[in-house]
Amino acid sequence: MSTLLEISGVNKSFGGLQALDDVNLKVNEGTVHAIIGPNGAGKSTLLNAIIGKLVPDTGTVKFDGKDMIGVQPHQINQHGISRVFQTPEIFGELTILENMMIPLLAHRDGAFKPALWSRSDAQGDILERAEHFLSDMNLWGKKEVHAASLSRGDKRRLELAMCLSQDPKLLLLDEPTAGMARADTNNTIDLLKTIAGRGITMAIIEHDMHVVFSLSQRISVLAQGHVICEGLPEEIKTDPRVREAYLGGAEV
Amino acid sequence: MQATATKNKDNLMVLLFAAAVLLMPLWLQPFGAAYPDLMQKFAIFGLFAIGFNILFGQTGYLSFGHAAFIGVGSYATVWVFKLFTMNIFPAMLFGVLVSGVFSLVIGYVCLRRTGIYFSILTLALAQMSYNLAYSVLTPITNGETGLQLSIQDPRSWDAVAVTGEGIPSTNLFGLELSAFDGLAGFYICAVFLILGFYVAMRITRSPFGSMLRGIKTNQQRMMYTGLNTKPYALTAFVISGMYAGLAGSLMAAVDPLAGAERMQWTASGEVVLMTILGGVGTLIGPVLGAAVIKYFENIFSAINTTVLADFYSFLPQGLADVLVSLTSLFVGKGWHLTLGLLFMMVVIFLPGGIMEGIARIRKRFSASN
Ligand SMILES: Nc1ncnc2c1ncn2[C@@H]1O[C@H](COP(=O)(O)OP(=O)(O)OP(=O)(O)O)[C@@H](O)[C@H]1O
Ligand SMILES: [Mg+2]
C-alpha cells in the first residue's frame, strides 16, 4: 500500500496558541483514515494546512509524492484533493444545479477557461454528470432551488456531491454527520462506505464514534495540536491515552 | 429539449429588447423624451451600466472608478478623429482597445484586494487618472479646456475628401451622425446597445458567467474547487472596462470632444446608482436604471416654475401658488432631491431594484389569475 498523503513535522501557531504541534501523519491510498480528538484539538486546522488555506510555520505536506507547501489552493484541488467543510461551503445564492456544475466545469476545463460564448445549458456531458450525482443525493428534484434555502443535511449532501463529482484522489471530510439525525447519519455512513468501496481515499474528522468505527481502517488521535497516538481502530478503542485526552469522555 | 427552450426564450428577450430600443423615437413621445440627444444618452449610459453590471452584479466587485474608462475611451477616440479620420469605426475601435488595455492594468492592481479595499483602490486610481488628465497629461488631454477638434488637425486619412470649410462632422463610412436630425447618431448608438445587451446575455448564460456568480457568492469555495478566481475576475473587469470605453467612444462619436469631468468620481457613482436602481445582477435592470436617471436629469431638471404654473393653472390661484412652490423643490435644480428620494425608496422597499418591482407585480397577476 502506498502513501498518498504524508504530513511531517507540521507546526502552526496562532499568536501564542500552538494549534499544530509537530504533526506527523500518513494516509495510505485506498483507505479511510479517521482523525479524532477533543474540540479545539487542531483537526480542522490540519485540514486547512493540507488544502493550502494556511501555510504551516514549519514542516512538509506531501501529496502523491509532490510537495504541497506554498502551492495555491486551486492547484492543490486540481492535484486531486477535495474537502467537505465543517460548516457547508456552497454557493448559497445559486441554484443547486449551478452549484453542481461549477466543480464539474473545474474538473473538466481546469483552473481557468474563459468559455464566454457557449451556453451552460448546452453542456451535455456536464449536465448528465450533475444529474447523476444529484440523484445519488436525492437532490435532483430540487435542482432549481437556491442552495441557501436547503436544510443543513441537504447542504452537506450537496457539498459532498460537489466534491465527489471532481473524482478526487483524496476526499477530506470535516464532521460530515454533525447535526444529523440518527437515520441520516446511518445513510451517510452507507454512502461513505460505497464511496470508499470505489477506492477513493478519505481522511475523515468525526466526533461520532459509531461513524468512526464503522468506516475507518486507521485512526489518528489529535490533542492540543499533537498526534498522541495512531493505530488500528481496535488499538485506539483500548488505548488509555485516548481516554485521558477525552477527559473520560463516555463515547470512547 | 429544455436547453433549446431557454435558448429560445433568451433570443426572444433580445428581440423584444431590440424592438423596444429601435422604436424609442415612437413610444418615448408621450414622455417628451423622443429627441435624439436624450435617446443617445439612454443608449450610451445603458451600455455603460450593462458592462458595469458584469463586474458588480455578476462578479460581486463594486468599482467606484469606472468613469475613468469612459474618459480614456473618449480621449482615444477624439485623437483618432484629430489625427486620422472622422470615421467613427476605426476611432471607436481604438477607443475600446485603449480602454481595454487601461482596464487590464487598473484591474490587475485593484483585484489584489476584495470587498471595500477593492472599491477604495478603484476610487483612488480613477481620481488619480482624473487629476492627471487635468495636470501632467495636458499635452494629451488639453487639460481644463478639454480635447477638441480643430481645423488644423491633420486627419491624414481623410485629407483628400475634405474640402476645408469648417470642421467635418463624424461619420460611419460616410453616413454622418448628425444626419436625419441626429437620428442617424441615435440609431448607431442603439445598434451598439443591442449588441452589448446580446453579448452580456451570452456571457451571463455561459460557463464563464457561472464562474463569475460563483466568485460573487463564495470565493473561498471557488478556490477549494480548483478554480483560479483572479483571472476570472480580471477578465470580467476588462470586459466591463471595455463596455465603459465603448460608451466613452460613443459619447465622442456623437459629440466629438473629450473632457476630464467625464472621469470624475460622481460619474463613477452614477453608474452604481443606475445598476442598483434597475436591479443588480439582472440583464435589463441596468439599462432601465440608466434610462430613469438620465430621464430625471434631463426632463425633471428642465421643469421650471412657469411650466409648473401652467400645469396647475386649472386650480384656484392661491392653491396653485402653494403647489408650484412645493413641487418646484423637486424639479429644476432640485431634481437630485427627487432622484435621491426615489433611490432611497427603491433600496428600502425593493432591494432588487425596478426588476424586483416588475417581478412582484407579475407574481401578483399570475396569483390572482
Ligand atoms: N485562523 C485562526 N486564527 C486563530 N486561531 C485559530 C484559527 N484557526 C483555528 N484557531 C484555533 O486553533 C485551535 C484549533 O482549532 P481547530 O478548529 O483546528 O479545532 P478542531 O479540532 O477542528 O475543533 P472542533 O472539533 O471544535 O472543530 C482552536 O483553539 C482555535 O481557536
Ligand atoms: Mg473543526
Side-chain angles (χ1 to χ4, degrees), chain A residues 78 83 98 117 119 121 159, chain B residues 6 10 202 213 221 226:
Chain A
Q78 292 283 354
R83 173 179 180 181
E98 214 170 2
W117 210 246
R119 288 183 64 97
D121 56 12
E159 194 184 17
Chain B
T6 48
D10 285 336
R202 290 299 300 247
R213 288 187 293 281
R221 192 10 119 197

Side-chain angles (χ1 to χ4, degrees), chain B residues 79-270:
Chain B
W79 270 111
V80 176
F81 290 154
K82 286 170 86 67
L83 295 180
F84 302 109
T85 172
M86 293 302 284
N87 186 342
I88 63 165
F89 185 77
M92 287 179 57
L93 194 65
F94 184 66
V96 173
L97 283 179
V98 171
S99 55
V101 172
F102 189 66
S103 56
L104 183 68
V105 176
I106 301 268
Y108 183 81
V109 175
C110 296
L111 285 167
R112 319 208 118 231
R113 292 285 172 270
T114 56
I116 186 77
Y117 300 101
F118 167 82
S119 304
I120 298 291
L121 277 176
T122 53
L123 178 63
L125 283 172
Q127 276 307 90
M128 205 176 76
S129 316
Y130 166 72
N131 284 313
L132 286 179
Y134 261 138
S135 54
V136 192
L137 294 177
T138 304
I140 301 175
T141 61
N142 201 21
E144 275 179 56
T145 329
L147 193 61
Q148 286 164 348
L149 301 183
S150 118
I151 211 127
Q152 278 96 37
D153 290 333
R155 266 187 284 284
S156 50
W157 299 348
D158 287 353
V160 256
V162 176
T163 45
E165 304 128 37
I167 299 165
S169 66
T170 51
N171 65 77
L172 179 64
F173 299 109
L175 171 68
E176 291 193 354
L177 269 74
S178 53
F180 308 105
D181 294 329
L183 271 183
F186 161 68
Y187 275 108
I188 286 171
C189 294
V191 167
F192 277 108
L193 175 63
I194 293 163
L195 284 177
F197 182 77
Y198 178 68
V199 170
M201 185 276 283
R202 290 299 300 247
I203 290 176
T204 307
R205 301 287 188 252
S206 70
F208 176 77
S210 297
M211 296 305 178
L212 298 188
R213 288 187 293 281
I215 291 175
K216 181 186 183 185
T217 312
N218 192 341
Q219 176 132 224
Q220 297 282 320
R221 192 10 119 197
M222 291 297 278
M223 284 157 55
Y224 305 124
T225 305
L227 291 153
N228 194 359
T229 55
K230 283 258 168 64
Y232 277 108
L234 185 58
T235 311
F237 193 98
V238 172
I239 291 172
S240 75
M242 288 171 81
Y243 267 86
L246 177 64
S249 291
L250 275 173
M251 281 179 198
V254 296
D255 185 11
L257 48 84
E261 75 287 341
R262 273 181 199 164
M263 307 172 86
Q264 221 181 348
W265 67 273
T266 45
S268 296
E270 195 182 56

